[in-house]
Amino acid sequence: MKTVTIKDVAARAGVSPKTVSRVINGEDHVRPEIREAVQRVVAELNYRPNAFARSLSSSRSYLLGLFIDDPVSGYAAEVQHGALLQCRERSYHLVVEPVDLRRPGWQEQVRGSLSSLRLDGAIVAPPICDDGELLSVFDEAGVPYVLIAPSHPPKGSGAVWMDDRAAAREMAEYLLSLGHRRIAFIQGPESHSASARREEGFRAALHHAGLVVDSRAVLRGDFSFRSGLELGEVLLDLPEAPSAIFACNDDMALGAMITAMKRGIAVPDALSICGFDDVASSRAAWPQITTIRQPNAEMAAAAVDILVDPAFRKDSAHLAFRLMLAHAMIVRGSTGPA
């Protein structure tokens, strides 16, 4: 089959190759009707821009980087999926760069990646999005970046997040509405700013209901399935065992649920368990886990859109590049009346 070129698209649409290039790259100064006509021809001919040729003819590489600390987690999979699909829509490519801030020499690793890849922009996922030293490396290299769920995004960066505090409060209020009063909470790691916001929401709901939070029933996890297993044991050994456990993510909720089932404690008849994120494991478990749906893929897609927007390079501090997306509470079989 003959390879479709930009000249083929231009001829079919009745415009110049330069106009086709502007439409593909999302540039301004193209009339809406012409943009629609070009996009229609691109779809009809199944045209795919040649990334190498595009980079040679411009100052851009059409390559974005996703920097993330744990690329194999369920959360990371959803973020990667959202970013990949949106890069495909915008005719960009994505590379995933793991960053372990505990590993000596990580700064040189990141500098080397930025130097060799010539990225047009970077998406930085939590919790490393809050590390000032990492962000300074991007600043030194002149690579624009968008942060996902940062605690306090610095001026000049794009940011996409959801209201973790409101979402956690909504979940805690739901448990209270079921009659639960002994509600345990499994925290996330201190390095993850969303963990603190979720705990704030949990405590606010209990305080509003006139309840005192039992410090023995609030334990620090690390977002792993293993920590859910181990902390579930501790919580179920309390003199007054909880009637509900709210874990700061789905992997820990699943771990706590397995611990309960090993002990013969029926979920949700004797113990309600809920999580946060709505990753695949929450839907694969039985019973399926009640959780907060965090728009992980949507946030990653929005980050791609910000990075490829020509206006972002001109004024990255504009509030238009700070977006809060909506969450949703998903009630499933792991929760029931106290």
Side-chain angles (χ1 to χ4, degrees), residues 6 18 20-27 49-65 87-88 90-95 117-121 304 307-308 310 313:
I6 195 170
K18 182 64 176 175
V20 176
S21 177
R22 285 182 180 142
V23 172
I24 291 171
N25 295 329
E27 296 178 12
N50 184 298
F52 181 67
R54 291 171 80 200
S55 64
L56 287 178
S57 62
S58 72
S59 60
R60 285 179 282 177
S61 66
Y62 298 94
L63 194 64
L64 301 181
C87 279
R88 182 178 298 170
R90 305 302 294 264
S91 298
Y92 273 70
H93 292 272
L94 183 76
V95 294
L117 293 172
R118 227 169 43 92
L119 297 175
D120 285 341
V304 170
L307 285 172
V308 304
R313 295 178 178 275

Side-chain angles (χ1 to χ4, degrees), residues 281-329:
S281 60
S282 70
R283 301 184 291 276
W286 188 260
Q288 293 184 326
I289 296 174
T290 293
T291 189
I292 294 292
R293 182 182 182 276
Q294 185 172 205
N296 299 321
E298 292 89 340
M299 288 194 286
V304 170
D305 284 338
I306 291 173
L307 285 172
V308 304
D309 190 333
F312 179 62
R313 295 178 178 275
K314 297 176 184 176
D315 184 11
S316 58
H318 197 283
L319 291 179
F321 305 116
R322 304 287 176 94
L323 304 176
M324 184 171 76
L325 303 187
H327 65 273
M329 187 169 73

Side-chain angles (χ1 to χ4, degrees), residues 106-177:
W106 66 262
Q107 299 92 333
E108 292 311 311
Q109 172 211 328
V110 175
R111 288 191 181 98
S113 296
L114 296 179
S115 174
S116 61
L117 293 172
R118 227 169 43 92
L119 297 175
D120 285 341
I123 302 166
V124 191
I128 61 174
C129 62
D130 287 323
D131 189 88
E133 190 175 356
L134 173 63
L135 300 185
S136 70
V137 174
F138 291 113
D139 291 331
E140 291 167 9
V143 176
Y145 50 85
V146 174
L147 310 178
I148 296 180
S151 57
H152 301 290
K155 184 178 180 181
S157 70
V160 186
W161 70 94
M162 58 158 279
D163 194 336
D164 288 274
R165 189 180 188 277
R169 179 166 184 165
E170 183 179 348
M171 180 63 80
E173 288 173 344
Y174 168 68
L175 293 174
L176 291 167
S177 74

